[in-house]
Amino acid sequence: MLVDIIYVKPRKPYFLFLKFEDGLSGLIDFREQVSFEGVFAVLEDWNYFQKVKVNPELGTITWPNQADLDPIVLYELIKNRKSLSNKHEK
């Protein structure tokens, strides 16, 4: 299942609020997904990190250096967290 990201907002420190085309939304901690190495090294600079944008052609988020993340992975992370929190509420 491929669901495109339609909105992204950076939140301190290194969190991203994402919204997907099917309405699912939530926060991810970027530091839990990647280490600041290689193409992601520059993203450790908070000012650069905030330059994240949605790439509608790819359906994911990207930075000016072309670093991006798999939208399926991000979707599943948020979906699983919401599922876990719903179980704990019952």
Side-chain angles (χ1 to χ4, degrees):
M1 172 183 194
L2 180 59
V3 182
D4 289 350
I5 298 171
I6 60 169
Y7 179 80
V8 62
K9 174 121 176 123
R11 304 256 176 100
K12 279 190 174 182
Y14 302 104
F15 282 83
L16 294 169
F17 175 81
L18 303 174
K19 184 173 182 181
F20 293 84
E21 65 184 347
D22 70 349
L24 180 74
S25 63
L27 281 174
I28 63 152
D29 185 344
F30 182 80
R31 297 166 298 182
E32 291 179 359
Q33 305 314 308
V34 299
S35 56
F36 292 107
E37 298 174 343
V39 72
F40 297 110
V42 70
L43 301 182
E44 194 167 19
D45 175 343
W46 174 245
N47 290 321
Y48 194 87
F49 183 83
Q50 293 181 85
K51 294 180 180 185
V52 63
K53 301 279 185 221
V54 172
N55 180 325
E57 290 178 24
L58 298 176
T60 194
I61 54 174
T62 188
W63 284 265
N65 69 343
Q66 304 306 310
D68 64 10
L69 296 170
D70 185 338
I72 296 169
V73 171
L74 299 173
Y75 185 89
E76 290 299 321
L77 281 168
I78 292 172
K79 183 175 137 188
N80 290 339
R81 285 194 183 132
K82 289 199 181 270
S83 176
L84 285 174
S85 68
N86 288 340
K87 286 180 184 176
H88 291 292
E89 290 175 5
K90 293 181 180 181

